[in-house]
Amino acid sequence: MASKQMLIVAIAAAALAVAFLPGLVVATEHVVGDDKGWAFYVDYTAWAEPKQFVVGDTLVFEYGISSHNVVEVSGSDFVICNQTDNAVVRTSGEDRVALDKAGRRWFFCGIDNNCENGVKLKITVLETAPPAPQPKAPLAAPPLSNPAGKLQARFGEAAAMVTAVTAAVLVL
Ligand SMILES: *[C@@H]1O[C@H](CO)[C@@H](O)[C@H](O)[C@H]1NC(C)=O
């Protein structure tokens, strides 16, 4: 008997998790240049273009430390590859950069003329991810504009799911 109750609790927890999943914030790690890393001959504008950078995400720069580093500057210095005295310079070869606030960030390689040769990246960090397009709900419900109402609806869905699953378990 006890195991059946535990199963019901587990299923209820799972149903709740599923019901709330769309609302969860998932932090993304963006490896700059993907498997090419921070290197020559990578178009970082093209790399960044389809991506969404959101507060809480992390940029990871992977590179050989003999050829590259990561210099962070302002927008105007970025344009002319100017490594200012107060620039943040990262040199570990696997630099993790926390995207901790919304706005633009500018990075380039400060070694030789690598910046002029295109080893540079600018991104825009968003406060929150824009809502993903929602699949059409099978049951039409009136649109809920207030967050509390949405939360209630989520609880309602979860409760309905739990009830259905519990009923199914009980007849097993
Ligand atoms: C480059 O940065 C320095 C500050 O470190 C500044 O004095 C200089 O004017 C900048 N160069 C240009 C061309 O903006």
Side-chain angles (χ1 to χ4, degrees):
M1 256 354 241
S3 68
K4 197 180 227 180
Q5 281 168 357
M6 277 168 64
L7 183 63
I8 292 171
V9 170
I11 291 170
L16 271 172
V18 168
F20 280 91
L21 207 54
L24 291 181
V25 174
V26 181
T28 305
E29 259 186 26
H30 305 275
V31 176
V32 177
D34 298 318
D35 53 349
K36 296 194 185 78
W38 187 233
F40 296 116
Y41 312 118
V42 181
D43 183 344
Y44 292 103
T45 304
W47 174 81
E49 203 273 327
K51 296 196 167 46
Q52 283 172 351
F53 303 96
V54 182
V55 171
D57 288 0
T58 305
L59 282 187
V60 185
F61 291 87
E62 295 178 343
Y63 54 92
I65 56 172
S66 55
S67 313
H68 300 292
N69 64 11
V70 179
V71 176
E72 182 166 9
V73 293
S74 71
S76 52
D77 290 308
F78 174 85
V79 169
I80 58 170
C81 296
N82 189 19
Q83 181 170 339
T84 56
D85 295 338
N86 64 353
V88 179
V89 182
R90 296 175 172 93
T91 58
S92 77
E94 180 152 356
D95 301 326
R96 303 175 59 82
V97 179
L99 305 180
D100 49 5
K101 59 182 190 302
R104 298 198 168 196
R105 305 278 294 260
W106 299 269
F107 307 91
F108 64 72
C109 174
I111 294 179
D112 297 336
N113 289 331
N114 294 354
C115 177
E116 287 83 350
N117 290 325
V119 188
K120 59 194 303 193
L121 166 71
K122 72 170 173 212
I123 62 165
T124 300
V125 182
L126 306 172
E127 193 68 59
T128 53
Q134 295 293 313
K136 276 224 161 64
L139 296 174
L144 296 164
S145 52
N146 62 323
K150 273 183 187 155
L151 205 58
Q152 275 180 2
R154 281 274 169 77
F155 269 119
E157 284 168 24
M161 215 182 301
V162 170
T163 308
V165 171
T166 305
V169 169
L170 289 176
V171 293
L172 286 180

